[in-house]
Amino acid sequence: MKVEASKGRLRILATEVFPVTISLFSLCLSTFNFYFGYLKAPDINFVVAPYISQVVDAHSGNEAFFIPVTVINRGARPGTVLSFELTVTRSPDGQQADYFAQYYGQTDNPFGLGVFFTPLSLNGYSSVSQTVCFYPTGPRQGEFFSVAGDYDFQMVAVVANVQARAQKQTVQDFHVALTNEMIGVMKATQGGMYPYPIPIKMQAP
């Protein structure tokens, strides 16, 4: 009788508990998929290309940096980059220059000025690549980035934060070792269709 009772309890476990366990597992899996597929908040990051360019504007004489970037949204919901900001620090004197994203590069010529910079919106789990043209916040006649030495770049993306009043920021730091030879080539190619590509080295976060 005891053996039959034990078998009965096992049958109850097999017919009732096991299906409930499978249902709970399916519910957890569905909830997980629903969150990451539809509810996950926007997660905006960006990647800088291995090369940038410095251009002296033919009209104003101001120096500008043309920086190709790829912006990535790893969240499920749409996200927006409101602006880009750039700070360049020259070593060893520690002088700084501030720049802001003023234009996009042209589609057929990334080193030509295109439309004015506008906020960049991305759908969930998507990316977009653009050349962003940074101009100084005040007059700067192409003299800052013209001395051989080390330059530290900090590029900041200001991201719309729909969950709080404060805006979020995503930061990328990179470094340029500028030599006299590079400066000579940069000056020789100023005004041409394809400015000299300046190699960068990404900094560890």
Side-chain angles (χ1 to χ4, degrees), residues 69 71 79-84 104 117-122 128 130:
V69 298
V71 185
T80 301
V81 176
L82 300 175
S83 64
F84 282 107
Y104 289 115
F117 181 88
T118 55
L120 195 59
S121 296
L122 290 86
V128 64
Q130 291 277 5

Side-chain angles (χ1 to χ4, degrees), residues 30-171:
S30 298
T31 303
F32 177 86
N33 290 334
F34 183 75
Y35 171 77
F36 282 96
Y38 298 97
L39 298 181
K40 185 181 178 183
D43 182 11
I44 302 291
N45 290 279
F46 67 93
V47 179
V48 180
Y51 294 89
I52 65 174
S53 292
Q54 185 250 24
V55 175
V56 177
D57 189 280
H59 300 287
S60 66
N62 287 330
E63 66 178 352
F65 289 100
F66 285 41
I67 302 181
V69 298
T70 297
V71 185
I72 305 162
N73 182 9
R74 296 190 177 96
R77 291 188 288 171
T80 301
V81 176
L82 300 175
S83 64
F84 282 107
E85 301 166 0
L86 180 69
T87 299
V88 185
T89 304
R90 183 172 68 192
S91 299
D93 58 18
Q95 289 192 44
Q96 282 191 345
D98 296 319
Y99 303 80
F100 70 102
Q102 186 168 357
Y103 298 98
Y104 289 115
Q106 296 176 5
T107 303
D108 56 347
N109 176 20
F111 300 109
L113 294 180
V115 298
F116 279 101
F117 181 88
T118 55
L120 195 59
S121 296
L122 290 86
N123 292 324
Y125 299 115
S126 66
S127 64
V128 64
S129 297
Q130 291 277 5
T131 296
V132 181
C133 310
F134 289 88
Y135 272 68
T137 54
R140 188 170 290 280
Q141 302 298 312
E143 299 175 354
F144 177 74
F145 195 71
S146 61
V147 179
D150 294 322
Y151 293 79
D152 292 314
F153 288 69
Q154 184 175 82
M155 186 171 168
V156 177
V158 180
V159 180
N161 186 359
V162 297
Q163 296 178 326
R165 291 183 178 180
Q167 303 302 335
K168 296 174 63 177
Q169 292 187 344
T170 301
V171 179

